[in-house]
Amino acid sequence: MKAVTLLLAAATFAVHAHHDEHESHGHGAHEHGHGHLNFVVDGDQLMIELQAPAADLVGFEHAARSDEEKAQYAKAIARLQQPDALFRLDPAAGCKLTHQELQAAKEDHDHDHDHDHDKAGADHDEHQHDESGHADFGAMYTYTCATPAKLTGLEASLFSVYPSLEKLSVQGILPAGQTAAELTPSANKLSW
């Protein structure tokens, strides 16, 4: 498991370095409709990390204010807790979800940036946003696969769950090396 964590950290570092490069060229890492998917296959373990703008997963980026927005927020969290609706893996691989972790913008946190960062304390770091108030949701899923050799790809079915999501930039670390791709609603399958 330690090796998987280190490999995922390497994949995440590569993605963030890529984002930093784009930010320095004025493109910005936060782009509505554009999510990021990192994955690592190590032995019988598969780890998937998803990050996407809150606007695409919830419908807004500010703190949920109305009852309707609070319901949308709760629905978004519930969807992220159901990775089988977001990703399809080959059933022959026998992969079972063993751990999941969500990193979501807090429901009561205001992204208008008129709050005091010092008073926000540790709660402030539980989500990701940039200085223009854009919030990202993140989720990490760990699977243990009974027959990892039969794990030869994944299908990103999350496009039907989140219609405003237009593309996923994918980076992965496999036993045979690294891979990168871009998935879209019409090309949502990745094979390795």
Side-chain angles (χ1 to χ4, degrees):
M1 187 68 163
K2 186 177 181 182
V4 171
T5 303
L6 292 174
L7 288 173
L8 189 59
T12 302
F13 175 78
V15 168
H16 289 295
H18 182 71
H19 286 191
D20 292 344
E21 179 181 315
H22 279 293
E23 285 179 329
S24 68
H25 290 99
H27 298 295
H30 182 94
E31 178 185 343
H32 291 192
H34 185 184
H36 298 274
L37 182 73
N38 301 316
F39 71 92
V40 176
V41 177
D42 184 27
D44 66 349
Q45 299 285 303
L46 167 65
M47 291 182 74
I48 298 173
E49 178 187 44
L50 171 67
Q51 289 194 339
D56 294 311
L57 304 187
V58 182
F60 55 87
E61 292 183 317
H62 58 269
R65 296 181 181 111
S66 68
D67 288 343
E68 182 181 340
E69 287 178 345
K70 289 177 184 177
Q72 282 178 258
Y73 183 90
K75 186 176 181 181
I77 295 296
R79 284 179 175 166
L80 286 172
Q81 292 172 333
Q82 303 292 324
D84 291 346
L86 307 178
F87 308 103
R88 289 196 186 108
L89 306 172
D90 188 335
C95 298
K96 301 290 181 208
L97 183 68
T98 55
H99 181 76
Q100 66 180 329
E101 184 177 323
L102 301 182
Q103 298 169 344
K106 288 185 63 113
E107 184 176 353
D108 60 350
H109 186 82
D110 190 353
H111 288 283
D112 292 337
H113 283 271
D114 53 3
H115 62 278
D116 185 336
H117 282 266
D118 294 330
K119 289 181 184 173
D123 287 347
H124 184 72
D125 294 329
E126 290 183 20
H127 68 280
Q128 297 180 11
H129 66 275
D130 64 24
E131 288 306 312
S132 38
H134 297 295
D136 287 342
F137 267 51
M140 187 176 295
Y141 308 102
T142 304
Y143 295 84
T144 300
C145 303
T147 314
K150 296 196 178 194
L151 181 63
T152 58
L154 66 82
E155 179 181 345
S157 51
L158 60 103
F159 291 110
S160 62
V161 176
Y162 304 112
S164 67
L165 201 57
E166 298 169 358
K167 64 182 172 180
L168 276 178
S169 294
V170 180
Q171 291 197 356
I173 299 177
L174 302 161
Q178 296 184 9
T179 187
E182 185 170 283
L183 299 178
T184 63
S186 61
N188 66 342
K189 294 180 182 175
L190 178 67
S191 297
W192 58 76

